[in-house]
Amino acid sequence: MVRSRVKGSENTVLFASALLVAIGGLIYELILGTTASYLIGDSIVSFSLATGITLFGMGVGSLLVKYMHWRPSTSFAINEIALSFIGGNSVLILHLAFTFTKLHWVAFSLMSLLIGVLIGLEIPLLVKMFTAFGRKSSVELLSKVLAIDYFGALIASLAFPLLLLPQLGLMRSSYLVAALNIIVAVAILVQLGTSKKLIALSTAAALTLAGLFLGASYLERTIDAKAYRDPVLVYEQSAYQKIVLTKYRSDLRLFLNGQLQFSSLDEVRYHETMAASALTSVQNPRNVLVLGGGDGLLARELLKYRSVQRITIVDIDRKVTELAKSNRLLKGINKQSLSNDKVKVVNKDAFRFIFDTREKYDAVLVDLVDPSNEHMAKLYSKQFYRQVSAVLAPRGVMVAQATSSYFSPHAFHTVVNTVRAAQEGYRVFPFSHNIPSFGEWGFVLSTKAPGALLSQPLAPGTVYQSEKLLDFMIRVQPPAISATKVSTLLEPKIIDAYNDDMRQWRYY
């Protein structure tokens, strides 16, 4: 009877261990893919490689188990300690490789392979432990272990995006998952045969990981300070992106996932151009929609036009809009535009909003980050631009940022072609303006109203734009590239066009 209770206790520990390692294994896989997509930008390739290489490593690991000649419990505990250190430090290692070397893909592949091998050892070792403690290996046993493994994968797939990533960020999440490996190692050693040396090693590993968890924000900030060069004032990880605000002398800069959004030294040139090209092309604009623009800088320019009564800012990331409302330096340059009574902030995905809204707008300004991954591709698709035209008033106008006409010409003309394909019956005008921190930057204007283009006066207080300069920019259009295509939801040509363009530049 006593022996039966012992076996029952051992079985409980082993099945609980199977659940925990399953959760940790999938989260490591998600962490690898997410880290690579954040740092490098191509999330389809990142997650495909993370999954493929990790699964290959798991296959290798399952074959290597026959060469482990220690007691199964000892082998399992050592494997978990190794996995905790490699998996726990994976984000730190990838971040260092990306910031200081050109070998980030090599580091990513090796890390995925090592983690996969260690994960692949877990289930065979668990089955060996069941056998060692009196439970015969069988199809029933294996099916139970696999069922627990799949159930753990479900928990991991929900916990990572909904809890770990938004609350802890990538680096601290990796160290928390590493703690699961240590917990499992200690539980196995205590229940199935204590090894004082391994208990001591597990304790040391736990203390080290705890220290790294507590210092993760400092480590990440220190590494990024080198990457961003200028002093980092704000460093936040939201559910959607990494938000970094830097300042050097009078130059305040905002970065989202490493992409520069503005420099305070020249952002007025960009935002005046968008606002002026749109609102001088529609008579008495009253209701304006901005998709993106969570920093409040475009809203600042729109508020200069006296006829404007309502501005709706749609930005998915609440942390960005709250930063723009609360940060003293940001409020200084956006003139507290997001707190103006005429401005309504909606924290929602722009794609969903444009299909859900029932309002009609005199002007829609599309001020979104560049289309470097599939998350942004839908906001540069034919379906998206078609729906934008559906919410425009009969004489309404759309102006969209369209990436650099010089650095990414194929992406720029893909946007132009996509707008033309989506908005039949509209006159479409591609144009560009030089923004020193960005280079030559492209925009697309479309309108149905005959003769309305640049027909209204500029707002008082406009500094860099004039009627003559706007007219020149619109009329002298960038030369077309015939090879570009139309980007759709199912065929997001914009991603390849943008990434292929940018790869030719050394700094990319």
Side-chain angles (χ1 to χ4, degrees):
M1 187 69 173
V2 173
R3 180 59 182 166
S4 176
R5 283 198 297 269
V6 172
K7 282 185 179 180
S9 176
E10 290 165 351
N11 286 341
T12 300
V13 170
L14 290 172
F15 281 124
S17 298
L19 178 63
L20 291 177
V21 299
I23 294 171
L26 185 60
I27 291 179
Y28 281 136
E29 205 173 306
L30 295 171
I31 285 173
L32 287 167
T34 305
T35 303
S37 65
Y38 278 3
L39 296 175
I40 302 167
D42 194 334
S43 54
I44 293 177
V45 173
S46 299
F47 276 97
S48 295
L49 286 178
T51 302
I53 296 174
T54 304
L55 288 173
F56 172 76
M58 289 169 64
V60 173
S62 64
L63 293 174
L64 291 177
V65 72
K66 64 183 178 181
Y67 298 107
M68 303 183 75
H69 301 300
W70 297 311
R71 294 175 61 192
S73 57
T74 302
S75 298
F76 187 83
I78 292 172
N79 186 73
E80 292 307 292
I81 294 169
L83 182 56
S84 71
F85 266 96
I86 295 173
N89 287 298
S90 58
V91 176
L92 176 61
I93 293 168
L94 290 176
H95 203 171
L96 288 168
F98 178 80
T99 304
F100 300 113
T101 77
K102 299 293 185 182
L103 302 175
H104 39 270
W105 278 120
V106 175
F108 170 74
S109 300
L110 289 175
M111 195 66 56
S112 299
L113 181 61
L114 282 173
I115 289 174
V117 169
L118 295 171
I119 293 172
L121 288 166
E122 289 175 326
I123 288 182
L125 286 173
L126 277 168
V127 173
K128 286 182 73 174
M129 280 190 288
F130 274 111
T131 304
F133 288 91
R135 182 159 184 164
K136 292 182 179 181
S137 179
S138 64
V139 173
E140 181 185 0
L141 172 61
L142 184 59
S143 64
K144 285 184 179 179
V145 173
L146 290 175
I148 291 172
D149 188 69
Y150 299 145
F151 181 64
L154 173 62
I155 296 174
S157 66
L158 296 174
F160 178 72
L162 300 179
L163 181 62
L164 294 180
L165 185 60
Q167 297 300 321
L168 298 178
L170 278 172
M171 196 174 292
R172 286 194 294 171
S173 292
S174 67
Y175 288 126
L176 183 65
V177 176
L180 288 180
N181 299 118
I182 298 297
I183 290 169
V184 169
V186 171
I188 291 294
L189 290 171
V190 170
Q191 186 67 35
L192 304 182
T194 303
S195 167
K196 291 182 179 180
K197 288 183 179 179
L198 283 179
I199 289 288
L201 182 61
S202 299
T203 303
L207 292 173
T208 302
L209 291 169
L212 289 167
F213 177 87
L214 294 173
S217 296
Y218 172 78
L219 288 170
E220 198 169 353
R221 183 185 290 265
T222 301
I223 296 169
D224 275 340
K226 301 291 184 181
Y228 290 105
R229 298 179 183 176
D230 297 340
V232 175
L233 303 181
V234 175
Y235 187 100
E236 290 189 48
Q237 175 67 58
S238 74
Y240 307 100
Q241 58 204 343
K242 184 187 293 182
I243 305 163
V244 175
L245 192 66
T246 70
K247 188 174 189 296
Y248 176 73
R249 295 184 179 179
S250 59
D251 186 10
L252 186 71
R253 296 188 172 211
L254 176 67
F255 296 85
L256 299 179
N257 279 349
Q259 286 188 357
L260 177 64
Q261 302 304 300
F262 70 79
S263 164
S264 61
L265 297 180
D266 60 16
E267 56 81 15
V268 176
R269 294 175 182 267
Y270 174 94
H271 294 104
E272 272 192 1
T273 299
M274 281 203 81
S277 59
L279 297 196
T280 61
S281 298
V282 59
Q283 188 172 7
N284 295 322
R286 299 175 62 84
N287 193 14
V288 180
L289 173 64
V290 177
L291 302 174
D295 51 34
L297 299 174
L298 188 52
R300 176 200 65 202
E301 296 302 317
L302 295 170
L303 287 167
K304 293 178 181 178
Y305 291 81
R306 295 191 180 97
S307 66
V308 173
Q309 298 299 311
R310 186 181 184 191
I311 302 169
T312 303
I313 307 287
V314 180
D315 193 297
I316 194 171
D317 200 336
R318 184 179 299 276
K319 284 196 174 183
V320 171
T321 54
E322 287 179 349
L323 183 68
K325 285 182 179 180
S326 62
N327 182 272
R328 176 181 60 84
L329 295 172
L330 271 178
K331 289 195 299 181
I333 61 172
N334 68 26
K335 308 300 183 185
Q336 302 186 57
S337 61
L338 297 190
S339 299
N340 191 288
D341 291 339
K342 293 182 178 180
V343 176
K344 177 185 177 183
V345 175
V346 179
N347 293 119
K348 188 175 181 178
D349 176 65
F351 191 87
R352 287 182 56 194
F353 180 89
I354 205 71
F355 279 90
D356 291 344
T357 186
R358 294 293 177 264
E359 290 194 55
K360 294 290 183 179
Y361 300 92
D362 300 309
V364 176
L365 291 87
V366 186
D367 184 22
L368 300 164
V369 300
D370 288 352
S372 61
N373 57 64
E374 79 280 359
H375 299 299
M376 293 306 303
K378 66 182 180 181
L379 299 170
Y380 288 81
S381 68
K382 180 180 178 180
Q383 291 84 349
F384 174 75
Y385 291 125
R386 180 189 293 150
Q387 188 60 25
V388 169
S389 65
V391 304
L392 282 172
R395 293 181 175 270
V397 60
M398 180 198 82
V399 173
Q401 85 89 359
T403 80
S404 173
S405 57
Y406 179 76
F407 291 108
S408 51
H410 292 87
F412 171 72
H413 287 287
T414 298
V415 175
V416 175
N417 288 349
T418 303
V419 171
R420 283 181 172 144
Q423 300 183 354
E424 295 180 5
Y426 280 73
R427 295 182 296 155
V428 177
F429 301 89
F431 63 99
S432 65
H433 186 41
N434 189 269
I435 317 295
S437 60
F438 289 135
E440 198 70 17
W441 205 258
F443 304 87
V444 179
L445 182 151
S446 67
T447 180
K448 247 184 180 179
L453 193 64
L454 310 180
S455 62
Q456 305 301 309
L458 286 168
T462 302
V463 178
Y464 290 104
Q465 280 298 343
S466 67
E467 284 87 352
K468 288 185 178 179
L469 179 57
L470 276 173
D471 182 69
F472 176 79
M473 287 190 307
I474 297 290
R475 294 187 188 283
V476 182
Q477 299 179 10
I481 297 176
S482 59
T484 54
K485 300 179 180 179
V486 172
S487 192
T488 67
L489 287 176
L490 295 182
E491 294 187 73
K493 302 295 185 182
I494 188 66
I495 304 174
D496 291 337
Y498 179 81
N499 288 326
D500 288 346
D501 278 339
M502 296 305 290
R503 284 190 188 101
Q504 68 182 313
W505 302 102
R506 291 182 180 180
Y507 59 80
Y508 181 67

